[in-house]
Amino acid sequence: MKIAIVAPSCPLKREAASQVQVIAEARSGCELLVHPQCFLSEGHFAGPDQARLAALREVMADPSVDAVWFARGGYGSNRIADAAIRDLPEAARSKAYMGYSDAGFLLAGFHRAGLEVAHGPMPQDVVREGGDAAVARALDWLVDRNPSALEPDVQAPAFAFNLTVLSSLLGTELEPDFSGAELLIEEVNEHHYRIDRLMFHVTSSANVRRASRIRLGSVDDIPSNDTPFERDEQAIVEDWCARSGVTFGGRALIGHHADNRVVRFGSIRD
Amino acid sequence: MKIAIVAPSCPLKREAASQVQVIAEARSGCELLVHPQCFLSEGHFAGPDQARLAALREVMADPSVDAVWFARGGYGSNRIADAAIRDLPEAARSKAYMGYSDAGFLLAGFHRAGLEVAHGPMPQDVVREGGDAAVARALDWLVDRNPSALEPDVQAPAFAFNLTVLSSLLGTELEPDFSGAELLIEEVNEHHYRIDRLMFHVTSSANVRRASRIRLGSVDDIPSNDTPFERDEQAIVEDWCARSGVTFGGRALIGHHADNRVVRFGSIRD
């Protein structure tokens, strides 16, 4: 099982790459290929659009690569997502793709293109507290499809997104069909009022309203408001679910933390 | 000419209300009615949704009110916009409505409902440096329809929005038809990478792509990135215009500052 790591948004830290290599090497049947593009840097990004796209297209087209693992989030995968799924090489169809946060743009577009994708931990997570477990869980799924890595209460078909990313892909070519699907959301580093505005936008979508239910993962590192918002993240999500007629299905084990579980998109073959 | 001030999002400061009253009283033919709801406070908002909606509906239905002036931005008008335009009283149709920033949700929905709306300075702007001139300009338009108050290069039909607000209303019941229209955008207090993401989202919209051109107002108070983004706000907007085939029409005199000019929505009668 060969897993290629590329960075479609921001650069991977070298120490994170080394730590993930150590974890992978201690495990049988797993070879990691860290693409040198992961360490490029141009302003905010892991190299210019062309370099990030070329590395991604290269590993997608490589028949010896079994899985593509997005190095980390940040911002930028939306800038190359359309081009990444254009004229898909056949080899791209026989592998799995995993990441979360900003990588959600790719997960969405790749799912629409018929590829097997999953929302789950990324290599950069190894630097989190308890991050070894997150990386091990990601490999449990990528290498062995071990069901213990999965979010425990998911009712397939399912999707999982960072809320800001979900809001930003509605109406674009990347938007999946949520009809009858469970939609898991998580957020990090957004004020309560922004979460409220995002939920207004997302639950106004006719497509999102066709979801079977919305479940809320972690909402971490919420900056303090100048005046307290007086509703917490769960109350905000429940409010907009009620206003839009979408079932609120409770909390979910996804988010920007080491406990982030894997969510496979759609109704994909095992 | 009676102008009613209500606060559909955050509370108006009492000193701002007093200063605006002084400016209005020094002017003939202009009576300001500052609704007491402007000073309510519940968490982030100028009172609960019901109170903000009731005050707005009250002044909309009042035949003696010639114009409704939104007190300030912040966040929250989207929470009551749908309800505000339901079963419109006849008196609501014979008045003008003005504001910007978060009030853009109302401008959009009210325009869709056939009301006369304009993007322009608000009472709270009086506390800005040079804010007296912004308030005088708003009254020049509201009271006299003085063309000197207007953004000088607008080619009607036109729309103007805060970029975040525009992104958040795409796909909702509030979204106007931008076909053949000039679309002015402005932003405040968003990182460069967020501006880039917003422009990705907005220019992915088929509706926005039918606009005749996009013009960029001020983008103020951009927080510094951990690494420099290496493209300024104009380069970002030009990039996404080029990628989406929308004409970039240059800069515009709108934004979160005292020079903010008035932009009437659509092709409205004089």
Side-chain angles (χ1 to χ4, degrees):
Chain A
M1 154 70 72
K2 193 200 263 184
I3 301 171
I5 301 177
V6 290
S9 41
C10 295
L12 180 62
K13 289 201 163 53
R14 286 199 184 265
E15 62 267 31
S18 307
Q19 289 176 47
V20 173
Q21 279 286 16
V22 169
I23 295 172
E25 280 163 16
R27 178 177 198 118
S28 67
C30 166
E31 179 195 352
L32 281 194
L33 172 80
V34 183
H35 196 289
Q37 173 271 324
C38 290
F39 309 114
L40 293 183
S41 172
E42 188 188 75
H44 187 91
F45 304 108
D49 289 352
Q50 297 87 327
R52 304 196 317 283
L53 177 62
L56 176 54
R57 295 279 298 189
E58 179 192 328
V59 297
M60 289 171 78
D62 184 341
S64 77
V65 168
D66 301 292
V68 175
W69 198 11
F70 303 125
R72 61 168 297 183
Y75 169 72
S77 75
N78 59 318
R79 297 183 55 87
I80 59 170
D82 274 358
I85 51 181
R86 219 169 283 151
D87 310 318
L88 273 184
E90 197 49 41
R93 301 192 179 276
S94 54
K95 43 179 68 72
Y97 301 84
M98 189 156 82
Y100 71 108
S101 194
D102 182 75
F105 290 110
L106 296 174
L107 301 183
F110 282 28
H111 170 77
R112 272 191 64 150
L115 307 184
E116 182 182 10
V117 307
H119 182 278
M122 296 184 289
Q124 180 79 21
D125 282 317
V126 77
V127 304
R128 294 188 187 280
E129 197 184 324
D132 285 13
V135 165
R137 187 180 316 116
L139 294 174
D140 283 347
W141 190 75
L142 285 173
V143 179
D144 303 320
R145 296 292 189 277
N146 188 330
S148 73
L150 297 172
E151 207 284 335
D153 298 319
V154 156
Q155 295 171 358
F159 294 90
F161 285 104
N162 173 269
L163 181 57
T164 296
V165 169
L166 174 60
S167 170
S168 304
L169 62 78
L170 293 179
T172 75
E173 293 293 319
L174 307 173
E175 181 179 347
D177 179 1
F178 296 125
S179 304
E182 173 159 306
L183 183 52
L184 281 66
I185 53 176
E186 61 85 31
E187 191 50 280
V188 65
N189 199 22
E190 299 288 351
H191 290 84
H192 281 107
Y193 79 89
R194 287 179 183 256
I195 297 166
D196 200 73
R197 188 167 56 201
L198 289 163
M199 284 304 300
F200 155 77
H201 183 235
V202 162
T203 60
S204 293
S205 153
N207 183 17
V208 170
R209 289 182 179 189
R210 287 192 288 269
S212 63
R213 59 179 190 170
I214 287 177
R215 288 171 63 214
L216 177 62
S218 299
V219 181
D220 294 309
D221 304 335
I222 303 177
S224 62
N225 223 7
D226 45 358
T227 51
F229 194 74
E230 293 192 356
R231 265 196 207 106
D232 69 13
E233 63 272 26
Q234 183 169 328
I236 291 170
V237 172
E238 290 191 79
D239 178 33
W240 285 106
C241 282
R243 288 175 66 138
S244 61
V246 179
T247 300
F248 176 68
R251 303 305 297 250
L253 252 179
I254 63 164
H256 278 69
H257 52 64
D259 252 357
N260 187 23
R261 301 301 169 94
V262 174
V263 177
R264 297 188 302 174
F265 272 26
S267 314
I268 292 281
R269 66 193 178 285
D270 259 352
Chain B
M1 157 67 74
K2 194 200 263 184
I3 301 171
I5 301 176
V6 290
S9 41
C10 295
L12 180 61
K13 290 203 161 52
R14 286 200 183 266
E15 62 267 32
S18 307
Q19 291 176 47
V20 173
Q21 278 286 15
V22 169
I23 296 172
E25 279 162 18
R27 180 177 196 117
S28 67
C30 167
E31 179 195 351
L32 280 194
L33 172 81
V34 182
H35 196 290
Q37 174 269 324
C38 290
F39 309 114
L40 293 181
S41 172
E42 187 189 74
H44 187 91
F45 304 108
D49 289 352
Q50 297 87 328
R52 304 197 316 282
L53 176 62
L56 176 54
R57 295 280 298 188
E58 179 192 326
V59 297
M60 290 171 77
D62 184 342
S64 77
V65 168
D66 301 292
V68 175
W69 199 12
F70 304 125
R72 62 168 295 183
Y75 170 71
S77 76
N78 59 318
R79 297 184 54 88
I80 60 171
D82 274 357
I85 50 181
R86 219 169 283 152
D87 310 319
L88 273 184
E90 197 49 41
R93 301 192 178 276
S94 54
K95 44 180 68 74
Y97 301 84
M98 189 156 82
Y100 72 108
S101 195
D102 182 75
F105 289 110
L106 296 174
L107 301 183
F110 283 28
H111 171 77
R112 273 192 62 150
L115 307 184
E116 183 183 8
V117 307
H119 183 277
M122 297 183 289
Q124 178 79 23
D125 283 318
V126 78
V127 303
R128 292 187 190 281
E129 196 183 324
D132 285 15
V135 164
R137 187 180 316 117
L139 294 173
D140 284 347
W141 191 75
L142 285 173
V143 178
D144 303 319
R145 295 292 188 276
N146 188 329
S148 73
L150 297 172
E151 206 285 336
D153 298 319
V154 156
Q155 295 171 359
F159 294 90
F161 285 104
N162 172 270
L163 181 57
T164 296
V165 168
L166 174 60
S167 169
S168 303
L169 62 76
L170 293 178
T172 76
E173 292 293 320
L174 308 173
E175 181 179 346
D177 179 0
F178 296 126
S179 304
E182 173 159 305
L183 182 53
L184 282 66
I185 53 176
E186 59 85 33
E187 192 50 279
V188 64
N189 198 25
E190 299 288 351
H191 289 84
H192 281 107
Y193 79 90
R194 287 179 183 257
I195 297 166
D196 199 73
R197 189 166 57 200
L198 289 163
M199 285 303 300
F200 155 78
H201 183 235
V202 162
T203 60
S204 293
S205 153
N207 183 17
V208 169
R209 289 182 179 189
R210 287 190 289 268
S212 63
R213 58 179 191 168
I214 286 178
R215 288 173 62 215
L216 177 62
S218 299
V219 181
D220 294 309
D221 304 335
I222 303 178
S224 64
N225 222 7
D226 45 358
T227 51
F229 194 74
E230 291 191 357
R231 267 196 205 104
D232 69 12
E233 63 271 27
Q234 183 170 328
I236 291 170
V237 171
E238 290 190 78
D239 178 34
W240 285 105
C241 282
R243 289 174 66 137
S244 61
V246 179
T247 301
F248 176 68
R251 302 304 297 249
L253 253 179
I254 62 164
H256 279 69
H257 52 64
D259 252 357
N260 187 22
R261 302 300 170 94
V262 174
V263 177
R264 298 187 301 174
F265 272 26
S267 315
I268 291 284
R269 66 194 178 286
D270 259 352

